[in-house]
Amino acid sequence: MRLAELSERSGVSLATIKYYLREGLLQPGHRISATTADYDDSHLRRLRLVRAMIQVGKVPVATVREVLRHVDDDSLGRTIRLGAALWALPQDPETDDEDEDEVTAAARGEVDRLLEMLGWSTARELGALSPVHRSLVVAVATLMRLGYAWDAELMAPYAELMHQAAMRDLDFVETHPSEAEKVETAVAATILFEPVLKALRRLAQEEESARRYGLA
């Protein structure tokens, strides 16, 4: 397809597509002549991913470029490739080991105990290397400072539910044929599905509250 058709099918303006091309967020088309290039479904798929990151995830262009670098690195195995891409996404506030206080240390202990209880060996091995692990420590420490006795036992049922969600995520990823599509889909799902999960949780809370306490 030509650039105009790519714009029409993706809903992205020509000017924006050209900007993405200049910034390296979209691979150049297959050159037909000095002034004409042809684009295929991989470009359409990549445009959707870039739009998800920039428009929904509010990810800066420089970060999008970094994420895509990992997505396109076919020298990595799928787990490392996907992990690197997801770690490159903006994270929630993290801990600074040099400034760690007693509460943060206690939170870290509960997170590590949770991972041991669940048998999540990969998460345990990565530990402080993972920005997601560090973000969880900060969240638990915040709860503790506010007087909520949040510990591994309280987190475990939620973590098990999230494991079920992760299995669903990867089942969906597996429906795509190529490695690039699998990783792209996983990154897009991380950004696009989280608002859905948040909304579903709140709807479920409303429903359960009504069932328990009525609507009065």
Side-chain angles (χ1 to χ4, degrees):
M1 75 186 88
R2 299 297 187 265
L3 198 60
E5 184 181 352
L6 179 64
S7 174
E8 181 179 354
R9 289 182 60 184
S10 66
V12 180
S13 69
L14 282 171
T16 299
I17 293 176
K18 291 177 180 177
Y19 170 70
Y20 290 165
L21 285 166
R22 289 195 303 272
E23 292 295 321
L25 307 184
L26 186 67
Q27 293 294 323
H30 309 290
R31 184 62 61 186
I32 296 174
S33 68
T35 58
T36 307
D38 190 48
Y39 300 86
D40 57 27
D41 286 343
S42 68
H43 293 92
L44 186 61
R45 194 176 65 244
R46 178 55 57 88
L47 271 177
R48 289 171 177 156
L49 176 59
V50 171
R51 289 185 78 197
M53 285 193 281
I54 291 176
Q55 296 186 1
V56 179
K58 309 300 182 185
V59 179
V61 168
T63 303
V64 172
R65 191 183 298 111
E66 176 70 8
V67 172
L68 295 178
R69 184 175 68 82
H70 296 300
V71 168
D72 293 332
D73 188 353
D74 55 12
S75 70
L76 302 174
R78 186 183 304 169
T79 298
I80 300 300
R81 190 175 179 181
L82 175 57
L86 295 181
W87 283 12
L89 290 170
Q91 304 293 332
D92 292 330
E94 301 175 10
T95 59
D96 185 339
D97 291 341
E98 294 182 358
D99 298 328
E100 184 168 296
D101 60 14
E102 184 177 335
V103 176
T104 303
R108 187 182 303 282
E110 290 302 320
V111 169
D112 290 342
R113 192 162 67 87
L114 169 70
L115 299 179
E116 185 173 1
M117 287 170 55
L118 296 171
W120 289 7
S121 57
T122 301
R124 287 176 61 199
E125 289 172 10
L126 292 172
L129 293 174
S130 167
V132 183
H133 182 283
R134 296 195 296 269
S135 294
L136 179 56
V137 170
V138 169
V140 174
T142 299
L143 286 165
M144 289 179 170
R145 288 191 180 93
L146 293 173
Y148 295 95
W150 203 252
D151 59 18
E153 283 75 19
L154 284 172
M155 285 188 280
Y158 292 93
E160 289 166 356
L161 288 172
M162 290 302 98
H163 189 206
Q164 292 294 317
M167 292 172 63
R168 295 285 185 180
D169 289 344
L170 294 183
D171 286 345
F172 177 64
V173 165
E174 289 294 337
T175 64
H176 295 77
S178 71
E179 284 298 313
E181 286 179 83
K182 286 178 170 64
V183 179
E184 285 181 349
T185 300
V187 173
T190 298
I191 293 169
L192 298 174
F193 288 3
E194 286 184 353
V196 174
L197 293 175
K198 180 179 178 181
L200 285 173
R201 181 172 182 265
R202 292 185 178 183
L203 286 173
Q205 287 174 332
E206 292 175 3
E207 184 65 23
E208 183 61 20
S209 178
R211 290 178 181 181
R212 292 189 185 198
Y213 314 123
L215 296 174

